[in-house]
Amino acid sequence: MVTCARTTRIQSRTAQLQIGDADARIAEQVRERGLVMVEGLGSRASVLAFARRVMTLVPHRHSDPDALTTIQDIGREARRPGLAGLGTGELHAHTEGSSVPEPLRLMLLVCLRRPVRGGEVFLTDGRAVHDHLTATVPEAVDLLSRPGIAFYGDGGGRPSQVFTRHPGGRTSIRYRQDDLAQFSPVVGRFLPDLRAAITAHQRTITLSPGQGYLIDNHRYLHARAAFSGPRLCVRALGSPRFLLEPGFRAGGAASVTVAAAALALTESPPTQRSPAVLDAIETQVSPVGSLSGSDDGRRTP
């Protein structure tokens, strides 16, 4: 197993904005960075209200009647293929819905109860992975972009590829690395390079209750460390309520210092709510263990 040798320290300053401005800021940061960090969502109702502001919710096969999915340990059932996210074990880096014809564009995950130990979140910018491979192993990018080099899912899955080209020089990523992923032998020798690039660009985040992240699911991969204790999160999937071009524009992703965005929301009544939106922040790579609450970096097989 390869151990990630980097984590992050985040520094930011807060600016008070009206709801309309906040929504515009969220849309801007998703377009530019693919990631918005959120806090102040301490209840399922507040998560649902925020999700409805930024996306048209689409139910998942495991979601509840409100279209949110409860992410918690379901016991032995989580050992079944494709259900690792509902267990306590390590969850490898992936994009959501890789086996469906058109994966949903936005994913929101919020922590409502922390585990006793572990459960750190690991986020990887697919643009950084793409640019890393383009600079170091360009042949890998070409092969991983060929339709049909991957098959995601069981008998109801679909042939696919890791990188999908779109008009205008844009690219999206679709990936999983569990028992429901198979790859053509022609790309087999490059899979270690792909996993190493994902590891190299992972950022470690420890979520407290009310904190979470909103990601462009066609750009960001997410993962989770194993944990113990009654961890409880809720997840929303859907289509953006704002214009979002296909994929990301390759090129320009920094390998050491990358920009991110953060949003802080309050729990005040809707008539009084004035969400605090954090300015774009610099995420600086620092030695393992420097981030408060993190033990080490992400590990991938």
Side-chain angles (χ1 to χ4, degrees):
M1 303 229 294
V2 179
T3 300
C4 179
R6 58 185 65 194
T7 183
T8 61
R9 179 182 292 115
I10 297 177
Q11 298 176 335
S12 58
R13 63 188 181 86
T14 303
Q16 295 292 330
L17 300 179
Q18 297 302 315
I19 289 178
D21 293 332
D23 289 348
R25 186 69 161 278
I26 293 165
E28 176 187 0
Q29 295 299 339
V30 171
R31 292 189 194 103
E32 293 183 1
R33 311 300 183 190
L35 166 68
V36 177
M37 298 300 298
V38 302
E39 64 180 17
L41 300 179
S43 67
R44 189 182 186 100
S46 63
V47 175
L48 182 60
F50 174 69
R52 286 173 171 168
R53 277 173 50 191
V54 298
M55 70 177 80
T56 300
L57 287 164
V58 177
H60 184 270
R61 66 182 182 277
H62 298 131
S63 64
D64 300 309
D66 59 3
L68 297 181
T69 302
T70 302
I71 307 295
Q72 62 183 348
D73 180 25
I74 61 172
R76 298 182 62 180
E77 276 292 296
R79 299 177 186 175
R80 295 171 52 193
L83 296 182
L86 299 178
T88 61
E90 180 182 34
L91 184 62
H92 300 311
H94 65 288
T95 56
E96 200 66 33
S98 59
S99 61
V100 302
E102 185 61 32
L104 291 168
R105 194 66 191 270
L106 296 182
M107 189 189 94
L108 170 70
L109 184 134
V110 177
C111 173
L112 296 182
R113 186 171 60 234
R114 287 183 63 170
V116 174
R117 184 179 294 105
E120 295 87 356
V121 169
F122 308 100
L123 300 177
T124 303
D125 188 345
R127 187 177 78 165
V129 173
H130 181 276
D131 293 351
H132 180 117
L133 292 175
T134 298
T136 59
V137 198
E139 185 183 357
V141 177
D142 292 336
L143 288 175
L144 292 168
S145 302
R146 292 185 181 179
I149 56 89
F151 185 90
Y152 299 134
D154 51 19
R158 58 178 283 110
S160 187
Q161 60 275 344
V162 175
F163 298 114
T164 300
R165 307 298 190 193
H166 302 282
R170 302 184 70 85
T171 302
S172 59
I173 187 168
R174 182 197 296 233
Y175 182 63
R176 68 188 302 158
Q177 47 181 327
D178 59 5
D179 292 339
L180 297 182
Q182 302 177 59
F183 296 91
S184 167
V186 300
V187 298
R189 70 184 189 276
F190 294 118
L191 294 180
D193 296 296
L194 174 61
R195 290 193 291 267
I198 291 172
T199 298
H201 294 280
Q202 280 179 326
R203 288 180 286 165
T204 305
I205 300 171
T206 299
L207 296 176
S208 295
Q211 296 179 334
Y213 58 86
L214 173 70
I215 56 173
D216 178 352
N217 185 49
H218 291 191
R219 174 170 172 173
Y220 259 82
L221 301 99
H222 60 283
R224 184 201 68 210
F227 67 91
S228 60
R231 183 179 189 263
L232 175 64
C233 295
V234 288
R235 184 190 66 196
L237 297 168
S239 302
R241 290 185 174 273
F242 50 86
L243 181 64
L244 192 57
E245 292 186 80
F248 52 85
R249 188 173 297 281
S255 60
V256 177
T257 301
V258 294
L263 167 75
L265 295 178
T266 68
E267 286 282 287
S268 56
T271 56
Q272 302 175 12
R273 178 175 293 173
S274 180
V277 180
L278 301 185
D279 287 348
I281 57 180
E282 285 297 306
T283 303
Q284 299 178 336
V285 174
S286 52
V288 170
S290 64
L291 181 65
S292 175
S294 293
D295 295 325
D296 55 19
R298 173 67 177 142
R299 299 175 296 276
T300 55

